[in-house]
Amino acid sequence: MIQVLACLTQQHDPRLIALAVLICAVACITVVAMLTRAMKNRGIGRAAWTIAATFAFGSGVWALHFVAMLAFHAHMPVAYDVSWTVFSILVAILGTLPGFALFLSAPRRPLVALLGGTIVGLGITAMHFTGMMAIRLGALVMFQRSYVIAAIIVGAAFGALALFVAGRWQSGAGRLLGGLLLAFAIVAMHFTGMTAVVLVPVLGPGIAPGDAVFTPALLAIAVAAISSLILLAGLMLAFIDAQMEQRDRAETWRLRQIADSAFEGLMIHRDGIIIDVNAAFTAMVGLPADRIIGRSVLDFAAQQETEHVKERLATSRNDLEECAFRAADGTVLPVEVLARDIEYAGKPAKVVALRDISERKKAAEQLEYLAHHDPLTGLANRSLLRARISAAIARAKNSGESLALLLLDLDRFKAVNDLLGHPIGDLVLVRVAARLRASARGAEIIARLGGDEFVILLTAEAETDAARATEVAQRVIASLTEPVEVGAPFVQINTSIGIALYPQHGTDADELLKNADTALYSAKRAGRGTQRMFDPAMDAELRRRRHLEQDLRLAIRRRTLDIHFQPLFKNDGKTLAGFEALARWRHPEFGPISPADFIPLAEESGLIMPLGRLVLETACAEAASWSEPHRIAVNISPAQLRAGNLVATVTEVLANTGLPASRLELEVTESLLIEDTEATLATLSALKALGLRIVLDDFGTGYSSLSYLRRFPFDKLKIDRSFIQALGENDEAMAIVRAIVALADSLTLDVTAEGVETETQLRLLQEESNAEMQGYLLGRPAPATAFSGLLATVAAKHTGGRFPHFEAAANQA
C-alpha cells in the first residue's frame, strides 16, 4: 500500500492525476445512469443503452489510463504505439460489455450483479495492461507479479461491489454511490498496476519510428478529444436522463392516478408478498398502503379460503373466480379475482384485480328471493311452492312419509279492498301471513298463490297426517276469525280451507293442488269459514258443475234459457201492478236446474254478464208487447254493476225494444252498496236519470243502513221474504215490517212485500201497510206465453179476488 501511494505521489503529476480522476468519475456516474436507464427498457432499447454505456465506460477507462500515463514521470522520452493504443480502447469496450449485459439481465439478484461487476473489473484490468503494452521508451517494461495480482483483485472486487450497489439501490443516491465505487475500482486498479511497473534501461534506440507511435503531445490531443466527448456525453446524458426521469415520473403519476381511479382493488405481489396497491385496495382493506406493502397475500384471505389461495399461488393461476376477502377489521367480503403476469420494477410479478361484489351478491340474492317469494307478505310464491312440493314428494316416496296440503281462500276479502282501499287490503294480507306463520309452525312451507289464496304444506307420520291437517286447519280458521287491526278500523274476515293428502289424494304437485282446490270449493259451498278434506265425490260434483257451466254457456249463446214472469199486486191483492222477470233453465239431461244453483255458477264463471243482458233484453222486449203499461222488474247482479257499462247496456236495450224507461225497475241487493260506494252511487244516479226506477231488494238482511237510503236514489224497498214468512208466528217480524213500512213512508219510498204464501200473511200486510205484494199465494212465476193473452182483460176478469190463470200457467210450466 505504501509503495502504491508512493507511486501515486512521487511518480505522477498531481494535476493530471486530478484530471484523470475527474474524467473517470464523470464517466462512471454517467455509465451507471445509462445502465439504470437500460434497466427500464426492453429489447432494442435496452441493447442500445447497454452498448452506449459500454462505449462510454470503455472510453472513460481508456482516457483515465492515458491521462494518468501522461502524468507518469518516466525520466526518459516516452511514446505510444498506435496499434496497441487503439487496441486498448477496443479491449476496454469489448472486455466490459459481457459484464454489463450479464448485470442487466437480473440487476437485483446479488450473485448476478457481483459476477457482472467482476467481469467488468477484469475488463478494466485487461485494458490497463494492454495500454501498458503501447509504451515505447528506452527501457524494458517489466511487472512485479504480486502487484499485478493485487491490481486484478482490486479491479474485480470493487467492480463487483459497484454493480451490486447500483442494482440493489436504484435511486439517485444508489446511482451516485455505484458510480463512485466503479471509478474507485478503475483508479485503484490503475495505480496498483502502475506500482507493479519496473523500467530496465537498455542500450540503443528504444522508440519506434515517428509514424508508428503517438508522441505525448499527440496522445494528449487524443485523450483530450476522448475526454471532451465523455464530458459532453455526460452532460447530454444528464440532460436526457433528467428529461426521461421527468417523463417517467409523469408517466408513473399518470399510471398511479389511473390505478387509484379504478373501482377495482389492484394489488401487485411477487411470490405472494405484496409490493404495491392502489387506493381502492387500501379502502377495501381499511389500512394505508405502507401497512399493506410487504405483507403476505394470505393475510387478507378469509380463513376458509387460505388453502385455495395457496393453491392458486402455487399454480400461478390467472383465471377469473370468486373468493372471500378479509379486511383489516375482520369483515369478510365476496370478491371477484382476476390476475395477470406483469413485469414490475424490472422483475416478474403478478397484478391482481379484486372487485367487491357484495352489492351484486345482495342484488342477486334479492332477485333470487323475489323470484321465489311474494314481495308483499314475504311468503313463498307459486314457483317456490311447486318446487318444494315436488321435493317433499320425492322424499316421501323414499321415507314413507305423508304430506298434507291446505289451500286457503279468504272470505269477504274483496269487500275489504272495495270499502277500505287496496293499501288496507295489503296490510290485512300481511297480518294474515303473520297469523299463518304462528298457526302453522313447523309447516314445510307457507305460500301465497296470489290474491287472497294461501297454501300450507305439512309433513307428518302416515297414521296421523289427516288428524294433524284438520287440527292445523281449525287452528288457522280460529286465528283468522279474530278481527284484524289495521290502524283505526278492525276488519273481520274468515277463511275456507280445502285439504288434500299425499299419496291418498294425489302423487304430484298439480294433482294435490287441484284436489285441494276442489275441497276448498266444497268448503265455500258449505257456508264458508270451514274446512273440508278432499273426497273423490267432490271431484265428481266439481266435474258436474264444470259440465253445467259449459252447458249454461251454450244455453246463453243459443238463447234457450226460459224467462218466467211473476206478478206483483197492489195492496188489495187483486190489482196487477207489474211483473218480475226471472231466469229459468231446463237442462236437456238433468232437467230443471234451480236458480240457486245456476245463478252462483254464472257469477263464478263470469257468465252472469251475458245472462243478465239476456234477461234484460227478453223482459223488456216482452213488456213492450203488452197492451197495458205494466212495470217490469229485472234483477241486476253485482258483476253487472261493477262492469262499468251497465248504463250504456240499459240505454241500448230500451232503445232497441222501444220500452219506456218509466216501466223498467232494476232491483239491486244491499251487498252492492258496500262495494265502491262512489262508483255505485254514480252508476245508480245515471240509471235514475234515464227515467227508470231503482229498487233495493232483500231489504233488512244485509248491511242495512239509513245512510244508504239517504245517499242512493232508491224508489222502492223490497222487504225480504224471511220477515214476511214469519208474520203471524213472530211478533218481532211484524214489528220489523211496520218499522220498514214507516221508514219508507217517511222517505216517500214505495214498498213491496215478497214471499206472501198464506192468507194470514196477506191479511196482516193489508191491515198494517199499503205495500205491494208478491208471492206464490198471489201468482207463481210462469212463461210469458202462459198469460200474454190474458193481460188485456186481467183487470176485469178475476175470480174470488185471485188470478187463477196465473196459478194454472205456473202449474203447467
Side-chain angles (χ1 to χ4, degrees), residues 199-262:
L199 297 177
V200 180
V202 296
L203 298 176
I207 302 177
D211 58 352
V213 296
F214 283 123
T215 64
L218 288 175
L219 182 61
I221 294 172
V223 170
I226 296 296
S227 300
S228 298
L229 288 175
I230 294 172
L231 290 174
L232 180 61
L235 291 174
M236 291 181 63
L237 180 64
F239 175 76
I240 294 172
D241 188 65
Q243 294 294 318
M244 298 186 74
E245 191 70 29
Q246 183 178 0
R247 189 192 68 181
D248 289 348
R249 284 197 298 269
E251 181 67 11
T252 301
W253 181 85
R254 186 180 70 84
L255 293 177
R256 170 58 63 179
Q257 289 295 104
I258 293 174
D260 286 342
S261 299

Side-chain angles (χ1 to χ4, degrees), residues 317-474:
R317 286 170 46 199
N318 292 338
D319 52 306
L320 178 69
E321 65 179 359
E322 291 184 12
C323 292
F325 175 84
R326 183 171 59 85
D329 61 0
T331 303
V332 176
L333 301 174
V335 295
E336 201 171 59
V337 177
L338 181 64
R340 178 179 297 172
D341 292 317
I342 63 169
E343 186 170 294
Y344 183 84
K347 297 180 67 175
K350 194 178 291 291
V351 61
V352 181
L354 298 93
R355 178 177 297 168
D356 185 353
I357 57 174
S358 300
E359 293 302 320
R360 191 171 78 187
K361 282 278 192 181
K362 289 179 182 177
E365 290 170 0
Q366 182 67 14
L367 287 176
E368 177 72 12
Y369 179 84
L370 292 176
H372 295 95
H373 291 81
D374 172 47
L376 177 63
T377 63
L379 298 177
N381 63 8
R382 185 185 297 270
S383 173
L384 181 57
L385 172 68
R386 294 177 66 85
R388 295 286 288 276
I389 292 175
S390 298
I393 289 175
R395 292 197 308 269
K397 285 180 180 179
N398 297 326
S399 64
E401 186 182 50
S402 292
L403 309 175
L405 190 145
L406 283 64
L407 178 60
L408 296 73
D409 184 87
L410 301 182
D411 300 330
R412 297 191 300 275
F413 180 71
K414 187 180 185 307
V416 174
N417 275 336
D418 293 338
L419 267 178
L420 304 176
H422 288 279
I424 296 297
D426 289 347
L427 192 54
V428 169
L429 291 175
V430 172
R431 298 283 193 274
V432 167
R435 292 189 183 185
L436 291 180
R437 291 188 183 99
S439 302
R441 286 193 181 94
E444 178 74 14
I445 190 172
I446 303 174
R448 181 189 177 203
L449 292 185
D452 58 352
E453 281 191 321
F454 298 86
V455 170
I456 300 173
L457 179 64
L458 303 173
T459 58
E461 296 298 329
E463 64 271 13
T464 59
D465 55 349
R468 184 187 175 207
T470 302
E471 176 192 348
V472 172
Q474 291 173 344

Side-chain angles (χ1 to χ4, degrees), residues 110-386:
L111 184 60
V112 172
L114 291 171
L115 182 58
T118 300
I119 294 173
V120 169
L122 294 175
I124 297 169
T125 306
M127 180 272 147
H128 172 80
F129 288 104
T130 302
M132 293 299 296
M133 297 298 293
I135 297 176
R136 295 291 181 265
L137 72 172
L140 293 176
V141 179
M142 302 181 67
F143 301 97
Q144 299 181 52
R145 181 178 299 177
S146 60
Y147 283 105
V148 171
I149 294 173
I152 294 172
I153 293 173
V154 167
F158 282 99
L161 181 61
L163 292 194
F164 173 79
V165 171
R168 188 71 173 177
W169 294 283
Q170 297 177 12
S171 60
R175 291 198 298 270
L176 178 61
L177 180 58
L180 294 176
L181 285 171
L182 194 57
F184 183 80
I186 298 170
V187 172
M189 184 281 307
H190 177 85
F191 288 106
T192 303
M194 290 302 296
T195 305
V197 174
V198 176
L199 297 177
V200 180
V202 296
L203 298 176
I207 302 177
D211 58 352
V213 296
F214 283 123
T215 64
L218 288 175
L219 182 61
I221 294 172
V223 170
I226 296 296
S227 300
S228 298
L229 288 175
I230 294 172
L231 290 174
L232 180 61
L235 291 174
M236 291 181 63
L237 180 64
F239 175 76
I240 294 172
D241 188 65
Q243 294 294 318
M244 298 186 74
E245 191 70 29
Q246 183 178 0
R247 189 192 68 181
D248 289 348
R249 284 197 298 269
E251 181 67 11
T252 301
W253 181 85
R254 186 180 70 84
L255 293 177
R256 170 58 63 179
Q257 289 295 104
I258 293 174
D260 286 342
S261 299
F263 293 104
E264 295 86 356
L266 298 178
M267 169 191 68
I268 299 176
H269 74 86
R270 185 175 290 119
D271 299 327
I273 303 300
I274 299 172
I275 56 179
D276 203 355
V277 294
N278 71 342
F281 188 86
T282 62
M284 291 172 64
V285 173
L287 292 175
D290 59 353
R291 294 183 59 188
I292 299 174
I293 295 173
R295 296 178 63 176
S296 170
V297 171
L298 296 175
D299 291 345
F300 304 103
Q303 185 174 1
Q304 67 272 21
E305 294 281 357
T306 301
E307 293 303 319
H308 175 71
V309 174
K310 287 181 179 178
E311 182 269 335
R312 187 179 175 101
L313 290 172
T315 57
S316 193
R317 286 170 46 199
N318 292 338
D319 52 306
L320 178 69
E321 65 179 359
E322 291 184 12
C323 292
F325 175 84
R326 183 171 59 85
D329 61 0
T331 303
V332 176
L333 301 174
V335 295
E336 201 171 59
V337 177
L338 181 64
R340 178 179 297 172
D341 292 317
I342 63 169
E343 186 170 294
Y344 183 84
K347 297 180 67 175
K350 194 178 291 291
V351 61
V352 181
L354 298 93
R355 178 177 297 168
D356 185 353
I357 57 174
S358 300
E359 293 302 320
R360 191 171 78 187
K361 282 278 192 181
K362 289 179 182 177
E365 290 170 0
Q366 182 67 14
L367 287 176
E368 177 72 12
Y369 179 84
L370 292 176
H372 295 95
H373 291 81
D374 172 47
L376 177 63
T377 63
L379 298 177
N381 63 8
R382 185 185 297 270
S383 173
L384 181 57
L385 172 68
R386 294 177 66 85

Side-chain angles (χ1 to χ4, degrees), residues 466-745:
R468 184 187 175 207
T470 302
E471 176 192 348
V472 172
Q474 291 173 344
R475 195 160 62 234
V476 168
I477 291 173
S479 172
L480 297 184
T481 301
E482 295 294 323
V484 179
E485 182 179 0
V486 282
F490 281 85
V491 175
Q492 184 71 53
I493 59 172
N494 209 331
T495 187
S496 301
I497 302 178
I499 306 172
L501 305 177
Y502 170 87
Q504 299 94 313
H505 303 148
T507 56
D508 59 40
D510 290 334
E511 190 175 9
L512 284 175
L513 286 168
K514 180 179 75 69
N515 290 337
D517 187 53
T518 300
L520 172 62
Y521 182 81
S522 176
K524 284 185 171 295
R525 292 196 66 201
R528 301 176 186 268
T530 186
Q531 53 86 19
R532 288 288 185 271
M533 184 78 66
F534 174 76
D535 187 286
M538 294 178 182
D539 192 39
E541 172 63 18
L542 185 60
R543 286 198 298 270
R544 177 180 178 275
R545 289 184 66 81
R546 295 291 179 258
H547 180 54
L548 287 177
E549 178 186 326
Q550 295 175 2
D551 291 343
L552 178 59
R553 189 183 305 275
L554 185 63
I556 294 172
R557 185 184 307 125
R558 294 179 177 177
R559 304 179 74 88
T560 56
L561 288 172
D562 297 323
I563 307 301
H564 288 194
F565 298 87
Q566 185 174 21
L568 288 84
F569 295 94
K570 293 190 179 297
N571 189 255
D572 59 7
K574 302 176 182 179
T575 305
L576 185 64
F579 292 88
E580 179 179 3
L582 302 169
R584 295 293 184 265
W585 182 25
R586 181 178 291 276
H587 192 276
E589 180 182 351
F590 303 120
I593 305 297
S594 169
D597 290 329
F598 76 80
I599 294 298
L601 181 61
E603 291 177 338
E604 293 171 8
S605 61
L607 293 174
I608 195 66
M609 298 295 294
L611 175 59
R613 183 176 180 113
L614 174 62
V615 174
L616 181 64
E617 289 177 342
T618 304
C620 290
E622 182 63 33
S625 68
W626 296 337
S627 57
E628 294 293 329
H630 299 300
R631 296 192 304 275
I632 183 69
V634 178
N635 290 282
I636 297 299
S637 74
Q640 288 176 280
L641 196 64
R642 288 193 299 266
N645 62 348
L646 181 60
V647 176
T649 299
V650 172
T651 302
E652 181 184 352
V653 170
L654 291 176
N656 292 341
T657 60
L659 180 71
S662 60
R663 292 178 58 192
L664 178 62
E665 291 183 348
L666 296 181
E667 298 186 1
V668 299
T669 60
E670 288 185 81
S671 62
L672 282 172
L673 306 183
I674 67 168
E675 298 185 7
D676 195 356
T677 55
E678 295 302 324
T680 301
L681 176 61
T683 301
L684 294 181
S685 298
L687 291 170
K688 177 74 171 178
L690 296 177
L692 52 80
R693 289 162 57 86
I694 307 296
V695 180
L696 181 57
D697 197 9
D698 301 331
F699 185 74
T701 59
Y703 302 89
S704 301
S705 170
L706 295 180
S707 65
Y708 294 150
L709 299 180
R710 180 180 59 82
R711 293 183 63 192
F712 290 91
F714 296 120
D715 297 286
K716 181 194 290 188
L717 301 181
K718 204 166 184 180
I719 305 174
D720 187 71
R721 65 177 62 248
S722 61
F723 300 120
I724 303 303
Q725 291 176 352
L727 293 179
E729 300 175 1
N730 189 322
D731 293 339
E732 292 179 355
M734 190 69 247
I736 291 174
V737 170
R738 290 194 190 102
I740 294 174
V741 170
L743 176 63
D745 287 342

Side-chain angles (χ1 to χ4, degrees), residues 34-72:
M34 295 172 77
L35 292 176
T36 303
R37 184 58 54 189
M39 294 179 204
K40 299 179 180 179
N41 285 269
R42 289 292 176 269
I44 296 176
R46 170 173 285 189
W49 278 106
T50 303
I51 293 172
T54 305
F55 179 80
F57 182 73
S59 301
V61 172
W62 184 87
L64 175 139
H65 175 80
F66 283 102
V67 169
M69 290 305 297
L70 290 174
F72 178 63

